[in-house]
Amino acid sequence: MDKPAHCRLWTHPEIVTNGISKNFELIETYAEESHWSRRLLKCRECGQLYFYEFNEEVDWESGDDPQCTTLIPVKTEEEIEALKGASPLQLASFLPRLQKDWPKGAKAPILRWIGKE
Ligand SMILES: [Zn+2]
């Protein structure tokens, strides 16, 4: 995937935490379940498209559900189709991607671009 170097998200990943709807426009919803969703988002500022996935593992014991949010910059229909067809596990092989992990028991999420170099 192309690096969205022009996008504010590239240098300020924290904007996903300060309100996704403020910074991104919802273009399409591909999956919508209580613990799993997939969407196509568009940056309100520069128009960059992002494939978005939210995943929550249900922790039946303590109710402290680990969460994971992934944003992958996309440009073409082909890229979007490839991501739609990928399993949550397979999404982890696409670079670069912005990942926000909230592991079980953590006080704050870990937010980072993977494959930024
Ligand atoms: Zn942008």
Side-chain angles (χ1 to χ4, degrees), residues 12-56:
H12 297 281
E14 70 279 0
I15 63 175
V16 296
T17 306
N18 308 339
I20 252 188
S21 60
K22 202 177 95 197
N23 294 291
F24 300 95
E25 188 184 334
L26 174 65
I27 303 297
E28 217 179 323
T29 299
Y30 303 124
E32 179 72 85
E33 292 170 27
S34 57
H35 298 284
W36 182 62
S37 61
R38 280 183 166 184
R39 308 177 201 285
L40 185 65
L41 303 178
K42 187 176 165 186
C43 175
R44 292 189 192 276
E45 199 174 85
C46 72
Q48 171 71 47
L49 294 172
Y50 291 95
F51 186 88
Y52 164 98
E53 184 184 67
F54 172 79
N55 220 332
E56 185 175 41

